[in-house]
Amino acid sequence: MKNLLDVENLKVTFSSDGLKECAVDDISFSMRQSEILGIVGESGSGKSVTALSVLGLIQQPPGLVSAKAISFKDPYRGEVRLDTLSEKELQAVRGRSISMIFQEPMTSVNPVYTCGNQVLETIRQHLDISRKEAKRSVLQLFEEVRLPDPPGIYRAYPHQLSGGQKQRVMIAMAISCDPTILIADEPTTALDVSVQKTILNLLKTLLQKRQMSILFITHDLGLISGFANRVLVMYQGKIVERGPVKTVFQYPKHPYTQGLIACRPQADIRLRTLPTVEDFMQKANETCHCKERSDEANRKNIITAKDRKTAHEKLYRNEPVLRVEGVVKVFSGRGGMFSQKQAEYVAVNNVSFSVYQGETLGIVGESGSGKTTLARTVLQLIPPSEGKVFYQDQDITRLTYRKRKALYKDLQIVFQDPYSSLNPRMTIGAAILEPMKVHHLLNNDRQRKLKVEKLLEKVGLTPDHFYRYPHEFSGGQRQRICIARALALEPQLIICDESVSALDVSIQAQILNLLNGLKRDFHLTYIFISHDLNVVKYMSDRLIVMKEGKIVEIGDPEEIYHDPKSEYTKILLDAMTD
């Protein structure tokens, strides 16, 4: 079979302040007709830069792209060298012969235009058809990507759609001109597992129906184990492993690939500490290590059923630190996405549970299940419509503002997006120090600064990071900063709201290990919220499954995972294992 795309000796460097950084280092690969080629690696490995270079979307300068050849068999122009085309010629290829789905759909669409008009504009840019014909085509595309109410979605603005619906609009836009190659750059990051499964199945259906090839970029090797045909594993701008997906997944040769596979929480065993990519890279650099000693360490890292039973017998002798009784939260708004009628939406519906001192209580469910609303109601960031929340036997739903402010010293939250949680104009040291000042902890800023520096070290950063700004850190580092800020007030309970969902799987493992270590060191209690059942199962002593504002299942994570009672839980598990 002839190759559809050949990339030979691609190199991309970026210049900044006189320094050059190599983002893609002399890589070569090919794509075949009607195949799914996966590119896997962490943030900064060069995955997205590779895709953008193929389409000529790297701004030069500061970027510098060079290649021996980037050859593409264009069905409309014959074989072309993409690396030699002018900007005008590339514009004719982009969207027509090669199209791209970007990682974050909300930033890829124009918020002031309706979804239908944006797809229509793409069609009319490349195809010589009337506006009426283009609109008909858009509605057919919306049906093809299984969007509900295509005429309504056509008239809707991006902010009126869910994350999964916006991603489907982006897919409709990408396939609107029947491209030969579809580049999907992290199209399912931070989506619910069921939505993620739906998007992957949709892409596979479209490939078979339209005879496309898909270049699928992700940081999660497990995600494409049953999706792609071949895979390239990238590390620091280089391809370190390649081959059929099943071969690479079952018999990984490079330590980096082994680390990417191992750092995800496993379904069959529970570990005290998750392995990280750094562990595997370090072992690869060691000249000699004792296999017997390594096997013994692995055995000690496994938490047995007996270990869990003993720990839980001790844990549940404690008194509940938090009790939630019959909490209801109702929001008022329009009756539907396209309706002008007023209606009430029950986000949390008669929820009751307790959290014990030293426990990690997991809450899992899809977007819209009420997880985050429940967390904010527990913290009194939004008032409940009904019900009570007791912290240390005190009803905190009836506290005055002053007493509630004092309560926040004991109850803290780590949000999903660390960048939006930090003030971009404030150094990270000042951001961590600020709540200590508000609550009058310690005598002066000098003492507070010393404590901040110790906290930075505790979360794996260094004291000299104190004067740096949020944009100078990676996503994983910013989340460590938010954790340090939550710890600054010496809280009793921390709510982690999707705190690892948007991170690379390797960075996710580091943050989960960090949270567990801090729990032991500071005797913390956690409420851990996520849509990823594997992650919640790994972290939790007990697990709550939520659907449409209600608790549908509560109990031991192992029992729920292996013998779910709720049909909804079974659906979540099926979405993860397919």
Side-chain angles (χ1 to χ4, degrees), residues 299-578:
R299 281 194 295 271
K300 287 182 178 180
N301 194 32
I302 295 174
I303 301 175
T304 65
K306 184 179 178 182
D307 293 334
R308 279 177 53 77
K309 184 179 178 182
T310 303
H312 283 181
E313 285 175 353
K314 182 180 178 181
L315 174 65
Y316 293 116
R317 285 199 296 264
N318 296 333
E319 291 297 318
V321 67
L322 184 81
R323 287 185 290 118
V324 177
E325 297 183 357
V327 164
V328 175
K329 183 59 188 177
V330 179
F331 292 102
S332 296
R334 291 189 303 179
M337 188 187 303
F338 312 111
S339 172
Q340 298 300 319
K341 295 181 180 180
Q342 290 294 310
E344 290 187 337
Y345 168 65
V346 182
V348 178
N349 193 350
N350 194 26
V351 168
S352 300
F353 62 89
S354 296
V355 186
Y356 291 80
Q357 181 68 46
E359 179 183 30
T360 297
L361 177 69
I363 302 179
V364 70
E366 297 176 286
S367 296
S369 62
K371 308 185 303 294
T372 296
T373 302
L374 176 61
R376 291 170 186 259
T377 306
V378 166
L379 289 179
Q380 301 302 292
L381 297 177
I382 53 176
S385 303
E386 295 178 28
K388 297 178 181 180
V389 178
F390 293 89
Y391 173 67
Q392 295 182 341
D393 290 327
Q394 181 183 23
D395 184 0
I396 64 176
T397 59
R398 304 189 184 281
L399 294 181
T400 62
Y401 170 76
R402 180 174 293 183
K403 289 183 177 179
R404 192 163 65 245
K405 179 182 172 184
L407 177 74
Y408 293 142
K409 180 179 178 298
D410 284 350
L411 305 177
Q412 287 287 298
I413 185 166
V414 179
F415 294 101
Q416 177 175 353
D417 182 1
Y419 192 75
S420 63
S421 304
L422 297 167
N423 188 332
R425 297 183 178 182
M426 185 181 285
T427 65
I428 62 110
I432 299 170
L433 187 146
E434 184 183 36
M436 298 167 63
K437 201 168 183 176
V438 169
H439 288 272
H440 309 292
L441 291 188
L442 303 178
N443 297 322
N444 52 55
D445 281 350
R446 181 178 173 277
Q447 291 179 352
R448 295 178 189 117
K449 182 175 182 293
L450 289 173
K451 181 172 181 178
V452 171
E453 290 175 343
K454 288 180 181 178
L455 284 172
L456 287 173
E457 289 184 303
K458 195 70 180 176
V459 299
L461 300 173
T462 60
D464 64 320
H465 287 143
F466 187 98
Y467 294 105
R468 296 189 186 180
Y469 289 87
H471 72 272
E472 299 180 76
F473 295 89
S474 68
Q477 288 174 320
R478 283 196 287 266
Q479 199 60 286
R480 290 172 185 265
I481 293 163
C482 291
I483 292 169
R485 185 175 61 181
L487 290 171
L489 297 179
E490 301 176 1
Q492 298 296 308
L493 184 146
I494 297 178
I495 298 178
C496 301
D497 185 9
E498 297 278 12
S499 54
V500 297
S501 64
L503 300 177
D504 293 339
V505 288
S506 55
I507 306 301
Q508 175 181 279
Q510 294 174 16
I511 298 298
L512 295 179
N513 289 339
L514 172 64
L515 288 170
N516 279 334
L518 293 172
K519 180 184 176 183
R520 290 190 297 268
D521 295 346
F522 291 93
H523 309 290
L524 296 169
T525 302
Y526 288 143
I527 296 177
F528 190 90
I529 298 171
S530 178
H531 62 258
D532 189 330
L533 194 49
N534 267 342
V535 170
V536 180
K537 173 179 171 288
Y538 168 73
M539 290 293 291
S540 304
D541 297 294
R542 281 188 306 142
L543 176 62
I544 288 174
V545 182
M546 288 190 70
K547 179 178 186 282
E548 296 176 351
K550 295 181 179 180
I551 293 176
V552 297
E553 195 156 354
I554 182 168
D556 184 274
E558 301 293 337
E559 293 176 8
I560 289 176
Y561 197 92
H562 295 291
D563 186 23
K565 302 296 187 293
S566 160
E567 285 301 317
Y568 176 69
T569 311
K570 292 175 184 177
I571 291 170
L572 287 181
L573 286 166
D574 288 343
M576 292 176 59
T577 54
D578 284 359

Side-chain angles (χ1 to χ4, degrees), residues 72 74 77 82 85 89-98:
F72 170 55
D74 192 320
R77 301 167 187 79
L82 295 177
L85 296 183
E89 290 170 324
L90 278 170
Q91 285 180 4
V93 174
R94 298 180 197 135
R96 183 71 172 102
S97 304
I98 305 177

Side-chain angles (χ1 to χ4, degrees), residues 66-100:
S66 64
K68 182 178 179 182
I70 302 177
S71 304
F72 170 55
K73 291 182 174 58
D74 192 320
Y76 308 105
R77 301 167 187 79
E79 185 161 344
V80 295
R81 285 275 305 274
L82 295 177
D83 54 314
T84 62
L85 296 183
S86 66
E87 179 61 25
K88 186 175 181 180
E89 290 170 324
L90 278 170
Q91 285 180 4
V93 174
R94 298 180 197 135
R96 183 71 172 102
S97 304
I98 305 177
S99 61
M100 188 165 182

Side-chain angles (χ1 to χ4, degrees), residues 173-291:
M173 189 183 300
I175 66 170
S176 61
C177 296
D178 204 19
T180 307
I181 295 178
L182 176 64
I183 300 174
D185 186 6
E186 300 273 14
T188 60
T189 298
L191 293 178
D192 298 331
V193 287
S194 56
V195 178
Q196 185 180 87
K197 178 185 175 182
T198 302
I199 295 296
L200 293 180
N201 288 340
L202 172 61
L203 289 174
K204 222 166 190 178
T205 301
L206 292 172
L207 176 138
Q208 294 166 355
K209 182 178 180 180
R210 292 173 172 258
Q211 297 297 301
M212 295 187 304
S213 297
I214 298 177
L215 182 64
F216 193 92
I217 298 169
T218 182
H219 61 259
D220 189 350
L221 186 55
L223 178 67
I224 60 168
S225 59
F227 178 67
N229 305 111
R230 292 186 300 128
V231 65
L232 312 174
V233 181
M234 290 192 70
Y235 176 64
Q236 295 183 348
K238 293 180 179 289
I239 295 174
V240 296
E241 192 157 359
R242 68 177 78 208
V245 166
K246 289 185 179 179
T247 303
V248 172
F249 192 77
Q250 293 176 2
Y251 308 104
K253 296 178 181 178
H254 197 277
Y256 180 70
T257 313
Q258 295 167 0
L260 284 180
I261 295 171
C263 64
R264 279 195 62 82
Q266 300 178 47
D268 52 343
I269 60 172
R270 183 183 288 244
L271 302 177
R272 299 179 193 279
T273 304
L274 288 173
T276 64
V277 169
E278 285 72 16
D279 296 334
F280 285 84
M281 298 303 290
Q282 185 177 347
K283 283 183 181 179
N285 293 330
E286 291 175 358
T287 54
C288 176
H289 64 277
C290 178
K291 183 180 185 302

Side-chain angles (χ1 to χ4, degrees), residues 118-132:
Q118 294 187 62
V119 181
L120 182 144
E121 181 185 25
T122 302
I123 293 173
R124 298 201 70 198
Q125 174 76 23
H126 293 285
L127 304 179
D128 185 20
I129 61 176
S130 68
R131 186 177 182 85
K132 186 177 180 180

